[in-house]
Amino acid sequence: MIPVSHYLAVGAVLFTLGLIGFLSRRNLIVMFLSAELMLQGVAVNFVAFSRYHGNLHGQVFTLFVIAVAACEAGVALALFLMLYRRKRSLDVSLWQALRETDVPETVDTEPLPPVSPEEPLPKLPPAGVEPERDEERQYV
Amino acid sequence: MFDPAHLVLYVPALPLFGAVLAAICGMVTELRRFAHLPVLVCAGLSCVCAIGVAAHLANNPSPVSYPQLSSSADSIHWFSIQYEKSNMVVEFALAADQLAGVMLLGVTFIGFWIVLFSVGYMHGSYGYSRYFATVSLFLASMCLIILADNFLLMFAGWEGVGLCSYLLVGYWHHKNSAADAARKAFLVTRLGDVGLILGIFLLWWMAELGGFGYERIFGAAPALAERYPTMFAAACLLIVCGAVGKSAQFPLYVWLPDAMEGPTPVSALIHAATMVTAGVYLLARCTVLFVQVPGVQLTVAMIGAFTALLAAFIALTQHDLKRVLAYSTVSQIGYMFLAVGCARPSLAAIAVTAAIFHLFTHAFFKAVLFLSSGSVMHAMHDVIDMREFGGLRKVLPITHWAFLAGALALAGIPLFSGFWSKDMILESTLEAGHGGRFGTVYIILFVVALITALMTAFYTFRAYFRTFWGELRMPEGAHPHEPAVMTVPLIVLGIGAVTVGIVAEPFTHWFSGFITQSPVIVTASGGHTADEHLNWPLILGSSAVAIVGFAIAWYVYLKKPGTAEKFAQKAPTLYYLSLNKLYVDEIYNLLFVQPATLVAGICGLVEAVVDDLVRLVATIPRFLGVLIRPIQNGLVQFYALAMVLGVAGFVAWLVLMAK
């Protein structure tokens, strides 16, 4: 049987990786994923102790964690979408509006590479309507 | 609906309603230029109601009251005062006796014509509806003063007219001088009002907190005067103080000449005919109290005579036509105070009648004088300095005749109304000089009044000759015209000024017969009746005085123009004293305004010190804030790092320190 310390080590590694990712990355989505990683590290811990103690407390907790994480993902991604629409970028350092008024803005010395202009999405005709055709050209 | 008790209510209620309507008109742009209509109609109806009340009183001498007190349940609760377990209810009660009836007639009748005049005078003026709403509110408050049946309700009206006076003096509030004049009028009269309310409370206290009703306090007056002689005299003096403030008598008269900054119809209505005479009315209403304290009465008479003389002296040299009239108002109200001050039980009937009669005739002739000066001002493009124009009788014929009618009455030229009422005042002063504790003093006051009459005749005709005679001179931009809406009130009030005196009193005795039935006078005189006779030597003497004054003015300003300048050069001290209004404004400035400014400066200094101390304390947290504020930089990852470090630190502490 695998001792509980192994599980704890895996949980700790997951948590640490998530923490490092959260602190070091600036892309909002990546940061969000790192946060999820930390949550999963904690969840592993719960499950491990649940098994170790032989009861279901930890597993119930984990189910809650996963449910909350799912909601969080929904809200956070919606927020990111709005933020992205405002500034056309996912760089978290662009959002400093909540600082004290007389603290100077932190200027990024190595900004993210500019986002390539959006590829125009292919436009499909509405379903059930005959697309317009240049009939002259087609039949000449 | 139309029984007298209801009419008594309608008299103040209608103008109040008119004020509300006018104010509503002011809110709608399309209706603004019709704002005068509700006021005019309500003032007219109010006048009709007042005539109804007076007619009823002529037939039934007993006072009419609203609500009619058949049982105490009918009374209208206004507010109540809790004082040491006793609950004192102040009621809304109106009552009209003969004294009130006469005042109501004067106020509403003259008020109506002045509102009509204003329609022409204020035409196209900025704040048209504001003007009419305030005038109407004024009429309502004035009627409330007259009709109130208890001291507090009277005081409410008293403050109401003060407010309207303030609003109307400062009507052109964008003009600094008007705003200052309004403030001055408000503050100076407030000084008197403080005295009045203290006096009222003192009376209330002496009457064992039983209520503010006139009947109760007047009924207790003899007993109170005996029980608390000093306190009673003090209460009376305080009431005089209120009257002095409102009626612009000696120490507090300085606001009235400045109040001429308001529109001229306002000067006519408020600062000549009605509001300023409220003090006289109050004293007449309280005659029952005042006959108990001859010393206070003497003070009133002395204040009156002194003010009359002083104001007449100042009026001699003023160049501003309206100011001459303003000082003459102060002077004439001085006469009324003199008359009221002569009242003692044996003389109450004649003295109060004289004062109110003079008040009544004065309201007519002073209104017409002011309105004609307003007409002059309207025609002369808002110039009112007599040096700027002259000889206007050709271009403003109706104004000229109206002014002449007013001037003849004011100067006391025989047969015109002012003559009869002034004569009555002189007579009552002379009567007061016979016997009594202060007989000699009253004789001196009589002489002062005669001298004042001479000066009055002189300055009135000085103004008249300088404005309407001589060569035609006009300021630039003047286009003389007299719209009908302005001339009709002039004609009506002019006829009133000429005739009201001779019709009402000297031969018919209608006025005195009517007013002496008033319960106030009946109680005050305690059974003495006025012996109605014409004192021919006095009539001849005062006629002579008036005619001499007229003749001097005629000689100085018409026959030999330039005589006045020569005289002024010969007696420069007198001339400059009069021209600069005896430097009273400057003295007040030095005595009251400067010390107040000084105190304000000191207070400012103290405030600055205290404020700086507080600011010093406030800098400490501010400094700390400056130190740690940079950590709030708005970067998400910085916050996250701080959190992680915090947790790490906490865990480290747990690991290392925990045993």
Side-chain angles (χ1 to χ4, degrees), chain B residues 91 146 270 274 280-281 323 406 411 433 462 468:
Chain B
E91 282 160 4
I146 296 168
I270 300 187
T274 56
V280 180
Y281 174 76
R323 259 174 211 270
R462 166 179 175 268
F468 292 100

Side-chain angles (χ1 to χ4, degrees), chain B residues 613-628:
Chain B
L613 225 68
V614 172
R615 281 198 201 101
L616 196 69
V617 174
T619 43
I620 297 168
R622 190 177 299 153
F623 178 68
L624 286 176
V626 168
L627 277 188
I628 57 176

